[in-house]
Each structure stands twice: as structure tokens, then as C-alpha cells.
Amino acid sequence: MMVSDIPICHTCGEQVGVDTNGEVFIACHECQFPICKVCVQYDIKEGRNVCLRCGSPFDKNLLMDDTKTSGNQHTMASHLSHSQDVGVHARHVSSVSTVDSELNDESGKPIWKNRVESWKDKKNKKKRSTVKTEQEAQVPPQQQMEEKQISEEAVVTHSFSSVYPIPSSRLTPYRIVIIMRLIILGLFFQYRITNPVDSAFGLWLTSIICEIWFAFSWVLDQFPKWFPVCRDTFIDRLSARFEREGEPSQLAAVDFFVSTVDPLKEPPLITANTVLSILAVDYPVDKVSCYVSDDGAAMLTFESLVETADFARKWVPFCKKFSIEPRAPEFYFSQKIDYLKDKVQPSFVKERRAMKRAYEEFKVRVNALVAKAQKTPDEGWSMQDGTAWPGNNPRDHPGMIQVFLGNTGAHDVEGNELPRLVYVSREKRPGYQHHKKAGAENALVRVSAVLTNAPFILNLDCDHYVNNSQAIREAMCFLMDPQVGRDVCYVQFPQRFDGIDRSDRYANRNTVFFDVNMKGLDGIQGPVYVGTGCVFNRQALYGYGPPSMPSLSKTSSSSCSWCGCCSCCCPSKKISKDPTEIQRDAKREELDAAIFNLREIDNYDEYERSMLISQLSFEKTFGLSSVFIESTLMENGGVAESANPSTLIKEAIHVISCGYEEKSAWGKEIGWIYGSVTEDILTGFKMHCRGWRSIYCMPFRPAFKGSAPINLSDRLHQVLRWALGSVEIFLSRHCPLWYGFAGGRLKWLQRMAYINTIVYPFTSLPLVAYCSLPAICLLTGKFIIPTLSNLASTLFLGLFLSIILTSVLELRWSGVSIEDIWRNEQFWVIGGVSAHLFAVFQGFLKMLAGVDTNFTVTTKAAEDTEFGELYMVKWTTLLIPPTTLIVVNLVGVVAGFSDALNGGYEAWGPLFGKVFFAFWVIFHLYPFLKGLMGRQNRTPTIVVLWSVLLASVFSLVWVKINPFVNQVDSTTVAQSCIAIDC
């Protein structure tokens, strides 16, 4: 092999060298991580006996005897010669950056700056290793072997996290009941189909269709929970590895994204608390940057952020000095606990009082800004210098960026550096599609890449504050773990909420989803992305695949495509590609080749580098910005120290221009994916299709907390938005029913879970029909089930018992309460017959007629009284279907009892099944009825009008039926009239 083909050592920056046979030296045969022999020997003597990339242990015998490398002499050569066959979604080329001048090593320093020092350090390493060898010679060989073995085991086995499955004593009965329920369902449908009700064939057929769909939905929901797991993290090990005393912190940097649109519906005080909790996280300040996206270009948001930055100078040092939790001042000061507990500092009480007084003053200033913004001046808003606010027209304004804090900004009151805080409002012009929240998030991705370029990104809604100051460290236990983090695209935290009534009337907490379903998905390929509280690997957002994933042109992955757990249960098979997939792979190989060739351009000047990037077609993928494109090639993140801040700001303004994404892959293959109002599902789905896996992290103290719309109307509108997004995905090219089969990277159970997320709104159609059947049966005197035999009664009883047992066993392994499951079941019916039904019709209208639906942001603030918003009723058309179903079933129950009273003793038997069916509907809709009535004696007028109207209609039907009068045959009447002797 030619000397020019020898890769560069990642540690010292020199060539890795050759062994005694003249072949390239290979330290790790698992991933071919480029590192020279001297650096490997030094790492081993320092107790670091594992590969920095993949975590595989080095072979010490291999290092002592280079002749043993001949068996693998073609490994590195094959890796280099065939690296172009990998494709853009599998960048496992050399970890040396394609722009070496801007690559950061573990400590965050550029390698090009350390080249000269590393060259001098090589001799020092040899001297230190010689001295250490002499010292070790004085220790008995047996003790040396034991100490080395313990050190190696500690490095290899002490991972930053652990996975422990659910105990088999709880999981095995759960799985057995699921299988039994499947068998009972089969026998149940065999009986139902073979025993039609001829007297009510239409009702019977409708019920059969509905029940089959319900069973199908249950299968989609149940089986992705087949492999639930739980995880533990070890933050102390993470700190011991990356935060050594006397050395700079080697923890990875994190960019926080906070999104807001309308400051009148998303109050600035709530956004300010979120930002303050981010700035005060327990993480190195130079590793934290907070980007606030103001997609409404509101001067109120900008001014409130100015006040927030000023208050942060006092708040952040207070939080870190006394280690308080949570670090959002509004929620910290509102805690009803003894704040003196475990606080031994004598100055704490005094400083806490002063801080509370300062926060109250801060609230007064922010609320004054809000009151001022209620009425917009005719000439528009003006800034302090008298110039017009650029965002006076929120649909036509330039891009705006303002850096408030950071290494070049203000320090805190103690003189310490604060995390960077950046205000961003992307450019908007008429005639351009801005893609709402997904477009705003993609703009933040580009801005952050130009200004800070942290390797990880955490996005939060403006109303979700950091409740656990060590949440970032929890995520880093997975993302920075050399054995776990290589293939992790994101770490998802569960959503927790404040301000919800104790009974959780409308299932706002979504406990069943976050504590049951997401644990099940974590055992397959990972939880779905839920839109907030998620830490991303930036490289995954750029459309790349995991380093360990083979090319799509090869056979499918060795892991099982069903569960992802083994390679023996499903045989591998070749994947047949269509022409579009072949063309897509060709483009990926072209881009990957460009990335590989860019390793040699570190000696080029800026103009030559930008020309080469343009020629290599990166602009077709990432857009027309050479600075941003270079940032995408830095797998470890970072910005060149030689970069001019003013130049970077100009480039940041450029990448948020409204036309930047045109003719690029933004929203199609990279970043947040467009095409649905629920961009979170699409984004996570695309990553899983590329072969990434995700992690579900549930720390004991909730990582983030938010506020939820707790009144009935806002809750239904929120559910409507989610359901409409699922319908849009179902009608798009990204539908999990047919997208992403090439390569077999998406596990079957994971695909089943995604199918469930996009078809659940369609359950509303059979659900509305099924909830109408009890009233129809009671009013007509017919029923959907024939007279039950002993076998049929046993099947019905077994079905009900299996349903109950499934829920009980889920309670055992998940830890949720029976009340949570019942509330979830109730709102499944309430949302199904209202919001989901409207979402289906609106989705088809949007596809067929192009009728788009504009959503308003739900209000985040509540009334002054506790749970005051719970009793507010805002009239909306979503309330019509469930109101109608309640009234119809109540009238049906009255009609049924009337018929039974009129029909005698024999009529009470058939009445039992019908009334039970009707009460099933009424009990499930009871929270809706309670919410519809509002406070006592405050029933909305529209509800009264609806009730009177529906009661009048059914009264007329009731008179027509006339159940209390015996039906007399007309022929009998005629004969009796003839017999009368007049």
C-alpha cells in the first residue's frame, strides 16, 4: 500500500504507520478506528483499553506482536477502497473530519491547533511509558495482572446506562393472556359471523364490521408492547469519564431549541421560565446554547427576552449556588413544600427572599409589556431608538437574530460566564411556503450549526420547562456511551404536566401512552418522537444513517426484522430494488464520495474550499451556504476559532432566508420532515427507517414539565390537530403501510406501531356507529346478538375476562393506576366520536378539494383560581356528535324501560343486554357530559338549546311509536264493528 493511503491518527494527528510487514497498523478490527501504535500503547498504560469509537477492547497481544496483523492486512485497505459504496445514510468513513482544520477532539479543541503539540508529545509519551514500566517492574507480576484485569473490566463493563427487562413473573402471564385473548377473539368472530340476526340484519352486519375493526386496532396497539424494557443511568460514571478534576470538561455541547408563535396565547412569562430553566441547567456553561424561535416576529417576545436575559444574571448563580429544583422561578416559588429543608447555608433564607422579590419585579415588568401589547399602534411598533420594528408585518419581514448572552455577552452578578441566548425570527415573504413549526425548527438547525454547531440538539415547546437540572446528563449517558450511543438518533423523555386536576378528567397526562406504550417501543427500535423533550443527534437530523448500518445495496440487517433482538428467527434475504431506490442510492454514494474526498482539503484556502464544496453537489442537499455545509461535516461539532463573529451572523441571516430551502432536501430527507401538522411523527419515522434506534429515558425526577389545555374545548382541538396530522401521513407517500420497506431497516413491530399512529383516527367511523347501536336497538326493540347458548355465553364471558386481565397485568409491569387506564379508555371514546371524526373528514377534504385547515394555538395560561379553566366551555362544532350520542342513548334507555313495563315480565330479559350496551356508552361519555355542563348552575345556553331541540325530535318519534298503548289489528277492529248491532 502506498504511504499516501495511510490514514491519520485521530489522537496525535500523524499517520498511523505500518507494522513490521509494511501493512497499515490496525488497532481496532471492529471499526478500524485510525489510531497509531504509540497512542494505543499509551492509552492502555493509562487504563483506557477500549476503542474510543465503538468501545471494543484493544488486543494487547496484537500490539506487542505486529506479525499477527497479517491475517487482517486487507481490512483497512478494503475499508478505504470501498468507502464510496456506503452511501449518504451510512457514513462510517474515517472519523477524521473532511475539514481537519475545524475538527474538534474529545476535549473540544481543534485538532489542527494541536498538531505541533501532539508531534512533540510523542516523545514525552514514550518517556512516560518507560518510567511507568520501570515503576511497574517493582510490583509483583501477579499483582500487575490482577490490577490490569480489574482496570480493563471497569472500563469495558461500566457502561453509563443499563437495561433491565420486565421480570418474567410479570411479563410471561401478560403475554399468555394476550395469546388467549387472540384465540378467544377468533372463536368469538367465528360464532358472530355464523349466527346472523335475520330480524335485524343491517344492525348485525354493522356491529360485525365495527367489532372486526376494533380487534384489528387492538392488535396494532398491543403487540408493539411485547418487549417492554426499563433503563437506568449512571451520571456519576459519566462525570468520572468526561469531567476529570483539573481538566476541561469533555462533555458534548447541546443546543436548546425553544419555539413560540403567538405571545398573546403563549404568554411571555411562561416562555421566560422555560428559558431561565435552560440557562440554569447543571451542565458546563460553555456547552449550553439556547435558541428561541419567534415565528410570529412579535416585538413583545423580543422585549420579554431582553428582560429575561437581564434577570438570568441573578437567577442562574442563585440556582447553582443552592442547587434548587426546579429552576424555573414561577414553579419553584409556587411549591407548597418546606424550602428550608436540607438547606444548611445561613444566607439561603435571606437570598431566597431577595430573589423572590426580584422575580416579582421581573413579573411586573413582563406583564406591563403584555398589557402594552394588547393594542397595536396604527403606525406599528417602534424600538427604543425610534426605528420601526422589522416584524410589524408577521407575514412579510426580514430575518432577525440577536445574541443576548454568551462568552461575548453579559456575565452574571458574580462575574461568571452565562450560556449563550439567541433570539431568532426567520424571514417570511408572501408567496413562500413556511411549513409552520417544522420550518421554524429547520431554521434553528441551520442557525445553530453556523453559530455554535453542538453535536446534540434538544427541542422544547415554550411551555415545557426543565424540571430536572441533570436531564441533559441523563441523555448523555446514552448518547456519549461508546457502546450504546453510536446508533442512537434521539433520546426521548416522557411528557409530564402541571396544573391538571387530580382526577385528570380528560386524560391530559396521557399516562398510558407514556408509561406503557413507550416502554414497549423502547424494547424494539425505540420510542416515537413526540415533538418536545427530545435530545437529537445532529448527524441523524442531517439525513445520515447510523455508522454501524450496512449499505442498502447489501442484504438486510442481521438482526431480526420482527423484533430486532436476534438474527436466528428470521432468515436474511436479498432486497429487490425499484429504479427509484437505485437512483436514490446513486445520489447517496455521490455525496458520500464527496465527503470522503474532502479529507484532503484542509490545506485549501476559503475560496478553494467553497468552490470544491459547490462542485461536489453538497448544495443540492444542504442549500447554498458553504459555512453550513462545512459544519455538517464535523461529526463532533464545533466552530473554527478563526471564524469572524460578524461573518457568522451574516451567514446565519442567510440560512434563515425564506428561499434558502428551495431546490434542497430540507423537509424531504433532512431536518424536520414536512407534509403533516404532526411533523414529529414523520421525523422520527424517517430516522427509524434509516436504521437508527431511539432511547426512552424516564428519570425518577421528571426531566421536563409543561402545561396542557385542561378545558374540554381546547383539549378536543388539540386532539383534532394530532389526528389530522396522522390522516395526512396516511394519505402521503410516507405512509408506514408502504414506505421504507427497502433495506429492511424498520422492524416489523416498530412498523406496526407506526401504522397504529396513523390509522387510529379512522376508528372514529365504526366507533360512532357502534355507540349509536344501543339507542337504535332500544327504540326498535331489536338486538344485534341472537339468543345466547351456553357456548356463546362462555365466549362472551371469556372475552370480557381477557380484556380485564390484560389491563390488570399491564398495571403490574407498567406501574400505572387503574384510574389512568379508565380515563384513557373514556377519552378514547370521547375523542373518537368528536375530534377524530372531524379529522378524517378534514383530511380527505384537504386531499380531494385542497381545503386546508388553519389551527390556532391553544391557550397556555390558566385563570387565577386553581383549575378555573377546567370549567370553561367554549362552543365548537366538535361538541355536536358526542352531545347527540348522549341524548340519543338516554332517550333510548327511557324507551327501553317503557317497553319493558308495557310488555310484561318476559320483556325484562332481552332489555338487560340492550341497557348494558347503552350504559357502556353513557359511562364512557360521562366526563364529556360533566365538562359540557360546566360549573353548577352555569350550563351554556347552546347546550340547553341543543337539548330542547333533540328532545323535541325524539318526542315526536315517541308519540309516533306510542309504546304505552296496545297495538290493535285493523281487521279485528273492522270485524268488531260489524258484529255490533246498531
Side-chain angles (χ1 to χ4, degrees):
M1 180 179 293
M2 300 298 294
V3 178
S4 59
D5 293 334
I6 299 178
I8 303 299
C9 176
H10 178 79
T11 302
C12 64
E14 299 299 324
Q15 292 183 338
V16 299
V18 296
D19 54 21
T20 56
N21 295 331
E23 302 297 334
V24 175
F25 174 77
I26 305 173
C28 177
H29 294 286
E30 296 293 330
C31 64
Q32 289 81 40
F33 187 60
I35 184 170
C36 64
K37 181 178 179 180
V38 176
C39 294
V40 174
Q41 290 177 336
Y42 178 71
D43 284 344
I44 292 178
K45 294 183 182 299
E46 290 292 324
R48 297 186 293 270
N49 191 34
V50 295
C51 175
L52 189 61
R53 170 185 279 186
C54 66
S56 301
F58 292 129
D59 187 356
K60 293 196 297 183
N61 296 328
L62 174 66
L63 300 174
M64 300 303 174
D65 186 6
D66 289 336
T67 58
K68 295 182 181 181
T69 60
S70 58
N72 297 315
Q73 58 185 351
H74 298 297
T75 305
M76 179 62 76
S78 174
H79 172 70
L80 294 174
S81 60
H82 296 290
S83 62
Q84 298 181 2
D85 296 333
V86 178
V88 68
H89 294 309
R91 283 181 55 194
H92 53 271
V93 297
S94 173
S95 66
V96 180
S97 173
T98 57
V99 186
D100 286 337
S101 61
E102 298 185 7
L103 174 65
N104 286 9
D105 59 12
E106 281 189 309
S107 62
K109 298 180 179 179
I111 284 183
W112 66 269
K113 192 174 182 180
N114 296 335
R115 283 286 177 85
V116 178
E117 298 178 1
S118 300
W119 175 262
K120 295 179 181 179
D121 287 343
K122 271 204 169 185
K123 294 182 180 180
N124 296 333
K125 288 180 183 179
K126 293 181 180 180
K127 292 180 181 179
R128 287 195 295 266
S129 63
T130 304
V131 173
K132 195 167 184 178
T133 303
E134 293 176 356
Q135 295 176 351
E136 291 177 350
Q138 301 175 2
V139 182
Q142 184 177 1
Q143 183 177 350
Q144 291 184 24
M145 294 290 292
E146 293 177 356
E147 291 178 352
K148 290 181 179 180
Q149 183 177 3
I150 294 174
S151 176
E152 292 173 6
E153 291 178 355
V155 172
V156 174
T157 60
H158 285 186
S159 177
F160 304 146
S161 63
S162 65
V163 180
Y164 57 95
I166 307 298
S168 58
S169 60
R170 298 184 178 183
L171 203 56
T172 301
Y174 175 68
R175 291 172 175 170
I176 292 175
V177 169
I178 292 175
I179 299 299
M180 291 176 57
R181 185 171 171 180
L182 272 179
I183 297 173
I184 294 173
L185 273 174
L187 297 174
F188 172 79
F189 283 119
Q190 190 267 342
Y191 167 79
R192 291 282 282 127
I193 295 174
T194 56
N195 292 271
V197 181
D198 296 328
S199 61
F201 187 80
L203 297 178
W204 169 83
L205 182 61
T206 302
S207 65
I208 289 294
I209 296 174
C210 295
E211 290 164 0
I212 291 176
W213 179 266
F214 295 153
F216 171 71
S217 300
W218 172 76
V219 170
L220 290 180
D221 179 71
Q222 193 69 61
F223 277 90
K225 296 182 285 189
W226 193 261
F227 299 100
V229 297
C230 296
R231 298 181 185 271
D232 271 342
T233 55
F234 307 105
I235 299 179
D236 53 343
R237 297 179 186 176
L238 180 78
S239 299
R241 170 65 179 84
F242 294 105
E243 292 183 299
R244 297 175 181 174
E245 186 176 358
E247 299 180 5
S249 174
Q250 299 181 19
L251 290 172
V254 181
D255 288 337
F256 287 76
F257 292 173
V258 179
S259 301
T260 182
V261 180
D262 188 349
L264 298 180
K265 293 187 176 180
E266 298 171 326
L269 192 60
I270 292 182
T271 304
N273 274 271
T274 300
V275 172
L276 290 170
S277 68
I278 292 173
L279 298 178
V281 293
D282 182 11
Y283 210 70
V285 293
D286 59 324
K287 307 290 185 180
V288 176
S289 300
C290 179
Y291 293 84
V292 179
S293 171
D294 178 18
D295 218 31
M299 188 174 175
L300 173 58
T301 302
F302 180 84
E303 290 182 333
S304 64
L305 210 59
V306 174
E307 295 289 347
T308 303
D310 183 64
F311 179 71
R313 299 175 63 246
K314 304 174 185 177
W315 175 251
V316 172
F318 172 76
C319 293
K320 295 187 176 181
K321 181 179 180 180
F322 299 107
S323 301
I324 68 169
E325 296 285 1
R327 299 187 178 181
E330 181 69 25
F331 301 95
Y332 169 69
F333 289 122
S334 63
Q335 293 182 112
K336 298 178 181 179
I337 59 174
D338 182 11
Y339 63 87
L340 297 177
K341 186 179 181 180
D342 300 329
K343 300 296 181 184
V344 295
Q345 297 91 336
S347 63
F348 172 69
V349 176
K350 182 179 179 180
E351 292 192 30
R352 185 186 186 277
R353 289 174 180 172
M355 185 56 59
K356 187 174 183 180
R357 183 168 55 252
Y359 177 65
E360 293 297 332
E361 295 173 354
F362 166 72
K363 287 173 64 176
V364 170
R365 294 193 298 271
V366 173
N367 290 332
L369 294 174
V370 175
K372 178 184 175 182
Q374 296 296 325
K375 184 177 181 181
T376 305
D378 296 335
E379 65 277 7
W381 298 108
S382 298
M383 295 184 289
Q384 292 182 355
D385 58 359
T387 58
W389 171 248
N392 277 325
N393 187 349
R395 299 182 180 179
D396 187 3
H397 65 85
M400 294 177 283
I401 296 178
Q402 176 66 48
V403 181
F404 290 106
L405 302 174
N407 53 3
T408 60
H411 291 67
D412 63 24
V413 293
E414 298 180 358
N416 300 319
E417 183 181 341
L418 288 169
R420 188 186 301 255
L421 176 62
V422 185
Y423 169 87
V424 179
S425 182
R426 56 181 174 144
E427 181 186 17
K428 286 189 176 181
R429 302 295 183 190
Y432 288 91
Q433 177 62 261
H434 300 104
H435 302 289
K436 301 178 181 178
K437 181 182 177 180
E441 295 286 351
N442 284 338
L444 289 183
V445 172
R446 298 190 294 270
V447 168
S448 62
V450 172
L451 298 181
T452 53
N453 197 32
F456 301 109
I457 293 171
L458 191 154
N459 81 298
L460 289 173
D461 289 342
C462 66
D463 61 323
H464 276 69
Y465 64 92
V466 181
N467 183 65
N468 183 348
S469 61
Q470 293 196 340
I472 313 307
R473 297 177 183 269
E474 297 274 356
M476 291 302 117
C477 287
F478 302 105
L479 294 169
M480 297 190 69
D481 193 315
Q483 301 180 23
V484 178
R486 297 179 64 220
D487 296 338
V488 176
C489 56
Y490 60 81
V491 176
Q492 178 66 62
F493 291 88
Q495 292 186 21
R496 303 300 188 215
F497 300 98
D498 289 317
I500 297 177
D501 60 303
R502 183 176 300 177
S503 64
D504 193 13
R505 182 184 296 178
Y506 308 122
N508 279 283
R509 293 191 180 95
N510 284 328
T511 307
V512 174
F513 173 76
F514 286 113
D515 290 14
V516 181
N517 295 58
M518 297 287 266
K519 281 184 180 179
L521 291 176
D522 199 16
I524 311 172
Q525 200 170 345
V528 298
Y529 169 42
V530 296
T532 184
C534 185
V535 185
F536 284 97
N537 183 338
R538 188 182 284 268
Q539 294 294 314
L541 282 172
Y542 288 156
Y544 301 123
S548 62
M549 184 60 60
S551 170
L552 286 177
S553 60
K554 301 180 184 293
T555 58
S556 60
S557 174
S558 60
S559 62
C560 174
S561 62
W562 174 260
C563 62
C565 299
C566 60
S567 59
C568 58
C569 55
C570 295
S572 60
K573 57 182 180 181
K574 294 184 178 180
I575 303 299
S576 59
K577 292 187 177 183
D578 56 11
T580 57
E581 187 67 26
I582 295 175
Q583 183 181 6
R584 190 181 300 117
D585 285 351
K587 292 181 179 179
R588 291 170 181 165
E589 292 176 1
E590 178 185 357
L591 182 57
D592 192 66
I595 294 172
F596 183 76
N597 292 331
L598 278 174
R599 282 198 307 153
E600 309 298 331
I601 72 170
D602 58 315
N603 295 323
Y604 295 170
D605 58 27
E606 184 177 356
Y607 176 76
E608 291 173 332
R609 187 182 294 116
S610 62
M611 290 297 294
L612 181 57
I613 289 174
S614 177
Q615 293 172 3
L616 293 174
S617 302
F618 276 80
E619 294 175 351
K620 296 180 181 179
T621 302
F622 297 111
L624 301 173
S625 173
S626 59
V627 176
F628 173 73
I629 292 173
E630 286 190 60
S631 71
T632 65
L633 305 176
M634 304 176 193
E635 295 185 9
N636 296 328
V639 179
E641 293 185 358
S642 59
N644 187 350
S646 61
T647 303
L648 292 181
I649 290 294
K650 292 180 181 178
E651 194 67 23
I653 291 290
H654 168 61
V655 297
I656 61 173
S657 60
C658 55
Y660 181 84
E661 296 182 354
E662 289 188 343
K663 298 181 180 179
S664 69
W666 284 101
K668 304 180 183 70
E669 296 295 332
I670 62 177
W672 271 257
I673 306 302
Y674 304 149
S676 172
V677 293
T678 52
E679 68 288 332
D680 45 4
I681 296 177
L682 267 182
T683 303
F685 174 63
K686 294 275 285 188
M687 291 181 181
H688 284 135
C689 285
R690 296 186 188 111
W692 292 95
R693 70 152 297 130
S694 55
I695 296 291
Y696 196 51
C697 182
M698 296 182 64
F700 178 76
R701 179 179 179 87
F704 310 100
K705 279 191 174 183
S707 57
I710 63 174
N711 71 73
L712 179 60
S713 305
D714 287 345
R715 172 65 168 152
L716 289 178
H717 275 289
Q718 183 186 58
V719 174
L720 172 63
R721 180 182 180 274
W722 296 341
L724 180 60
S726 297
V727 175
E728 289 175 342
I729 298 174
F730 177 81
L731 300 175
S732 70
R733 71 182 185 92
H734 290 118
C735 179
L737 288 170
W738 51 73
Y739 182 85
F741 278 96
R745 295 180 174 183
L746 189 67
K747 311 306 176 188
W748 277 103
L749 287 179
Q750 192 79 13
R751 183 180 298 278
M752 187 179 294
Y754 274 111
I755 292 174
N756 186 44
T757 61
I758 57 103
V759 302
Y760 78 89
F762 296 96
T763 306
S764 60
L765 299 174
L767 188 60
V768 170
Y770 210 70
C771 290
S772 303
L773 288 177
I776 297 175
C777 292
L778 287 168
L779 291 173
T780 60
K782 300 177 181 179
F783 200 38
I784 57 175
I785 300 175
T787 303
L788 296 179
S789 61
N790 292 335
L791 176 62
S793 301
T794 304
L795 285 176
F796 275 90
L797 181 61
L799 182 61
F800 282 115
L801 288 178
S802 64
I803 293 174
I804 295 173
L805 280 176
T806 304
S807 300
V808 170
L809 293 175
E810 275 190 359
L811 296 178
R812 289 192 63 201
W813 66 256
S814 65
V816 301
S817 65
I818 185 95
E819 184 181 12
D820 292 326
I821 290 184
W822 174 237
R823 291 302 187 195
N824 182 78
E825 180 77 12
Q826 285 180 313
F827 200 78
W828 172 72
V829 177
I830 295 172
V833 299
S834 56
H836 298 172
L837 181 66
F838 278 76
V840 172
F841 286 108
Q842 289 182 7
F844 279 98
L845 282 175
K846 184 176 181 180
M847 181 191 69
L848 300 177
V851 178
D852 197 1
T853 304
N854 294 322
F855 286 97
T856 57
V857 181
T858 52
T859 304
K860 304 301 182 184
E863 294 182 355
D864 294 335
T865 57
E866 188 177 12
F867 309 130
E869 193 182 356
L870 178 67
Y871 304 102
M872 295 174 58
V873 178
K874 305 173 184 177
W875 176 252
T876 172
T877 53
L878 296 177
L879 303 178
I880 297 177
T883 304
T884 305
L885 287 174
I886 287 179
V887 174
V888 167
N889 279 277
L890 288 175
V891 172
V893 171
V894 174
F897 277 103
S898 300
D899 287 337
L901 289 172
N902 191 47
Y905 177 79
E906 295 181 354
W908 288 95
L911 177 66
F912 175 77
K914 302 174 186 178
V915 172
F916 174 81
F917 197 8
F919 274 113
W920 180 90
V921 177
I922 294 172
F923 286 155
H924 279 76
L925 293 177
Y926 174 72
F928 172 84
L929 178 63
K930 191 174 180 180
L932 195 66
M933 301 305 294
R935 290 183 186 270
Q936 188 177 3
N937 300 326
R938 291 183 56 185
T939 305
T941 305
I942 191 67
V943 176
V944 177
L945 294 177
W946 254 100
S947 302
V948 171
L949 177 62
L950 292 174
S952 301
V953 172
F954 284 100
S955 296
L956 294 175
V957 176
W958 190 260
V959 172
K960 179 64 176 177
I961 297 176
N962 200 11
F964 291 105
V965 180
N966 290 330
Q967 301 295 328
V968 182
D969 193 356
S970 59
T971 58
T972 305
V973 174
Q975 292 176 358
S976 62
C977 291
I978 295 173
I980 295 176
D981 187 4
C982 298

